[in-house]
Amino acid sequence: MSIILWIDPGTTTIWFAVIEKIAQKREILDYGIIHTLQKTTPEKLLELGESLYELLEKYPISHAGIE
């Protein structure tokens, strides 16, 4: 079993999906959008980091991919 975090980054909108893979079966556990406001780059990164950390606390993610 693997739980995968998939991220599709954008300038102010980041798409994500959390996918569970067991053998050849895949199931989407969670998905959504992380919106960052028009802020300075450090503020955006902090906001993104906090949102991703919440996902890492919620799911035992074993792999990640970024498009």
Side-chain angles (χ1 to χ4, degrees):
M1 176 185 80
S2 298
I3 297 185
I4 304 157
L5 172 62
W6 175 81
I7 300 171
D8 184 2
T11 305
T12 58
T13 303
I14 293 90
W15 297 82
F16 74 89
V18 179
I19 304 161
E20 181 178 44
K21 180 180 181 265
I22 301 174
Q24 297 303 315
K25 182 182 174 194
R26 289 164 184 81
E27 179 180 348
I28 296 175
L29 302 177
D30 198 354
Y31 63 93
I33 300 171
I34 300 169
H35 292 284
T36 59
L37 302 175
Q38 294 289 346
K39 300 178 181 179
T40 65
T41 300
E43 291 171 324
K44 280 183 175 182
L45 291 174
L46 180 61
E47 187 175 346
L48 175 60
E50 289 170 349
S51 297
L52 290 175
Y53 187 76
E54 288 175 15
L55 287 172
L56 293 171
E57 285 186 315
K58 187 174 180 180
Y59 300 101
I61 294 170
S62 58
H63 297 80
I66 300 176
E67 185 174 299

